[in-house]
Amino acid sequence: DTVLTQSPALAVSPGERVTISCRASESVSTRMHWYQQKPGQQPKLLIYGASNLESGVPARFSGSGSGTDFTLTIDPVEANDTATYFCQQSWNDPWTFGGGTKLELK
Amino acid sequence: EVQLVESGGGLVQPGRSLKLSCAASGFTFSNYGMAWVRQTPTKGLEWVASISTGGGNTYYRDSVKGRFTISRDNAKNTQYLQMDSLRSEDTATYYCARHNTLNYFDYWGQGVMVTVSS
């Protein structure tokens, strides 16, 4: 299975820029997608196809990368961005998710 | 507004069966592939199974092949997950999710808890 590795946690101040990384154990082309999950809620799609912003998602969110290295950027971070962010690949079977990066605000 | 509402979760003994349902609304159900994704604190998010628009093609992760069956009824705008021979490691919150063409999940239900324990 394709393993997606994310840093467990990050802490930033409101107004700052944050990058969340996701590294794949093998190439996933640009079939990388990002989700936001707040406590007690279901995941919400933010970015699909590595860099495409889902409709209704603020332009503060952006994604980049291809192959094995991907980033989700939030700029500027706002207080309600406190959440866990997951990457997911859909290039290799089975589709897999990263372990999540918990974003906390200082 | 797209809505996905799961039901059918609960506590079940190992080796027994459970059937989850997901009622969809707010979109043309028969135009979209559908999936089940589960989440646990230890294993995180795991894709479980997917089904094509007409139901003719189904896909499963290895650990549930032969035990779980995904199906759909387009007339009722509902998908199902029949779970047989349940194991403790199937304990999780199960989410119904809508597929998009690149096989990401653009809408998720609120989730339903399944606990497998004696």
Side-chain angles (χ1 to χ4, degrees), chain B residues 22 24 29-30 51 53-55 70-80:
Chain B
C22 171
F29 182 68
S30 57
I51 188 166
T53 54
I70 189 171
S71 61
R72 64 191 294 162
D73 185 336
N74 285 345
K76 294 183 177 180
N77 291 344
T78 302
Q79 73 154 344
Y80 306 96

Side-chain angles (χ1 to χ4, degrees), chain B residues 40-57:
Chain B
T40 65
T42 51
K43 290 186 179 180
L45 288 162
E46 287 186 330
W47 165 77
V48 174
S50 292
I51 188 166
S52 59
T53 54
N57 294 302

Side-chain angles (χ1 to χ4, degrees), chain A residues 67-103:
Chain A
T68 60
D69 291 295
F70 298 85
T71 57
L72 172 70
T73 300
I74 311 173
D75 185 16
V77 172
E78 295 183 356
N80 70 351
D81 295 334
T82 299
T84 301
Y85 293 85
F86 295 93
C87 53
Q88 177 239 329
Q89 66 83 22
S90 63
W91 185 249
N92 301 311
D93 179 35
W95 306 318
T96 51
F97 292 83
T101 297
K102 188 172 184 179
L103 180 65

Side-chain angles (χ1 to χ4, degrees), chain B residues 27-47:
Chain B
F27 66 101
T28 304
F29 182 68
S30 57
N31 285 353
Y32 289 86
M34 297 295 295
W36 291 93
V37 179
R38 65 188 181 187
Q39 185 173 31
T40 65
T42 51
K43 290 186 179 180
L45 288 162
E46 287 186 330
W47 165 77

Side-chain angles (χ1 to χ4, degrees), chain A residues 17-90:
Chain A
R17 177 178 184 268
V18 65
T19 58
I20 297 171
S21 66
C22 177
R23 174 163 287 178
S25 61
E26 57 188 322
S27 177
V28 300
S29 184
T30 55
R31 295 286 183 94
M32 185 65 79
H33 323 294
W34 291 93
Y35 302 87
Q36 176 193 65
Q37 186 177 33
K38 296 183 178 180
Q41 296 185 16
Q42 66 269 54
K44 173 189 173 184
L45 177 69
L46 299 175
I47 300 288
Y48 64 92
S51 60
N52 300 287
L53 189 68
E54 172 69 352
S55 176
V57 174
R60 302 183 292 104
F61 293 88
S62 62
S64 64
S66 65
T68 60
D69 291 295
F70 298 85
T71 57
L72 172 70
T73 300
I74 311 173
D75 185 16
V77 172
E78 295 183 356
N80 70 351
D81 295 334
T82 299
T84 301
Y85 293 85
F86 295 93
C87 53
Q88 177 239 329
Q89 66 83 22
S90 63

